[in-house]
Amino acid sequence: MLRLGRSLFAATRNMSFSRVLVNEHGGADKLTFDKNGNVEEMMKSAVGSEVIVKNSFAGVNYIDTYFRTGLYPATPPFTVGQEGAGEVVAVGPDGDKGMIGKKVGFWGSRSGSYAEYVRVGPEQLAVLPESLELKVAAASLLQGLTSHYLCHSSYQVKKGDWVLVHAAAGGCGLLLGQMCKNAGATVIGTCGTAEKAELAKKVGKFDHIINYTEVPNFAEEVRKLVPAGVNAVFDGVGKSTFEGSIASLRTRGTMVSFGNASGAVEPVAPLTLTKNGSLFLTRPTLKDYISCPEERAQRTADLFKWLSEGSVVQTINNVLPLQESRKAHEILEGRQTTGKVVLQIA
């Protein structure tokens, strides 16, 4: 039997909620603001130990554009969004009713986070410490956990390493730069404007910034800074930077390709890795690095601790209302953003 907060039990009938739908794959114009979500049906949709979250903020991520365009599989119509934060208002029949009223953050929701109400699996959420604001949690979980596994697992950054991070002034770039620096590395970043370069150095703790609009061949600039090449490259840009990233690595360096902002990388022949110095190539995804409860708990605990104590700082420079989700995608894909983009829902 579904368990609801008392104040919602009778109030959900005939109520509707807002959400952003993708009715067909395509550009940002395919995002449709819809006010016809059925609250009662959403409440009843929780099964097992799932929870229903009354959402306050949704984080906007590049992965949202991949689902919107059809690069990643999703069958329309669907509600877009992978990340948010709010209050638990209902739990499934096997859920813990003590969760009702808890402030939580979540990633990888089962019903889409660009919505007032969201269905979330128990393995996809974390109870927030009182010191962490909902807006910061919604902005930080997906990119924060991604940065954590990139820096500490895909390639374990250590003192004395040199690493290269693309899109240094983006939401993930700023967090990853801080984590790599905190781990003891010398961190090189790339970006496209002087404003972004300043932010990356000030907030992201980058030691060196290469502005690729001024210096087209970033690999050559990397080699000027560290002739042997870097130990690892963290590349979330994809197609347009892949070859230069490979050229920036030292012998037995690690290429971490974790995104497709400029398009998917073409197939890579294994001999490419041999010819460039017996390189390692990995194409990771978050779900494989939080697949067990212990690992998930450790990463979220680290992230919350760092955000709370200020050793890692989240930068939110774009907060838009839910109905402006199209604009959010347009500025993200147009590289007009610095830091994180967040949709305010309530």
Side-chain angles (χ1 to χ4, degrees), residues 166-302:
H166 288 296
C172 193
L174 290 172
L175 294 173
L176 182 55
Q178 294 174 73
M179 291 184 194
C180 289
K181 188 63 181 175
N182 292 346
T186 300
V187 191
I188 305 169
T190 65
C191 62
T193 69
E195 177 190 9
K196 290 182 177 182
E198 182 180 355
L199 180 66
K201 281 194 169 184
K202 182 178 180 180
V203 177
K205 300 184 180 180
F206 285 85
D207 298 287
H208 306 278
I209 291 292
I210 299 169
N211 187 332
Y212 55 76
T213 60
E214 297 175 355
V215 184
N217 192 332
F218 66 82
E220 288 184 358
E221 296 302 308
V222 169
R223 293 286 181 173
K224 290 178 183 177
L225 293 169
V226 53
V230 295
N231 298 86
V233 177
F234 298 102
D235 190 339
V237 175
K239 186 176 182 178
S240 67
T241 52
F242 186 83
E243 289 185 5
S245 294
I246 291 290
S248 299
L249 285 162
R250 65 179 55 191
T251 299
R252 287 160 52 182
T254 299
M255 172 64 183
V256 185
S257 176
F258 69 96
N260 316 292
S262 67
V265 175
E266 297 293 331
V268 180
L271 279 176
T272 299
L273 306 178
T274 304
K275 293 174 181 177
N276 284 277
S278 299
L279 304 179
F280 296 90
L281 169 62
T282 181
R283 181 56 173 92
T285 187
L286 175 60
K287 69 179 179 64
D288 293 326
Y289 286 85
I290 53 171
S291 57
C292 70
E294 295 79 14
E295 188 174 30
R296 185 165 61 247
Q298 184 61 60
R299 293 196 197 281
T300 54
D302 285 347

Side-chain angles (χ1 to χ4, degrees), residues 301-334:
D302 285 347
L303 180 62
F304 291 163
K305 176 177 180 291
W306 297 338
L307 288 168
S308 296
E309 70 186 14
S311 60
V312 170
V313 177
Q314 177 59 280
T315 303
I316 304 171
N317 287 335
N318 295 275
V319 181
L320 299 171
L322 181 62
Q323 55 266 38
E324 293 187 22
S325 60
R326 288 185 184 181
K327 180 180 178 181
H329 278 220
E330 287 168 352
I331 63 174
L332 185 68
E333 293 177 292

Side-chain angles (χ1 to χ4, degrees), residues 2-83:
L2 180 71
R3 299 171 179 180
L4 293 172
R6 288 183 180 179
S7 62
L8 284 174
F9 186 77
T12 58
R13 289 187 177 180
N14 302 317
M15 283 181 60
S16 61
F17 68 92
S18 298
R19 56 192 176 177
V20 176
L21 295 175
V22 175
N23 291 308
E24 60 177 306
H25 293 128
D29 62 312
K30 300 303 182 184
L31 296 174
T32 301
F33 181 67
D34 176 81
K35 294 184 177 181
N36 298 316
N38 186 295
V39 175
E40 186 176 8
E41 288 181 6
M42 173 61 78
M43 293 296 177
K44 292 178 179 178
S45 70
V47 299
S49 298
E50 292 177 340
V51 304
I52 303 299
V53 177
K54 191 176 190 302
N55 210 12
S56 294
F57 295 92
V60 179
N61 298 281
Y62 248 102
I63 193 172
D64 303 341
T65 72
Y66 303 158
F67 284 109
R68 188 203 73 219
T69 62
L71 178 63
Y72 286 4
T75 302
F78 62 90
T79 303
V80 73
Q82 295 286 307
E83 172 185 50

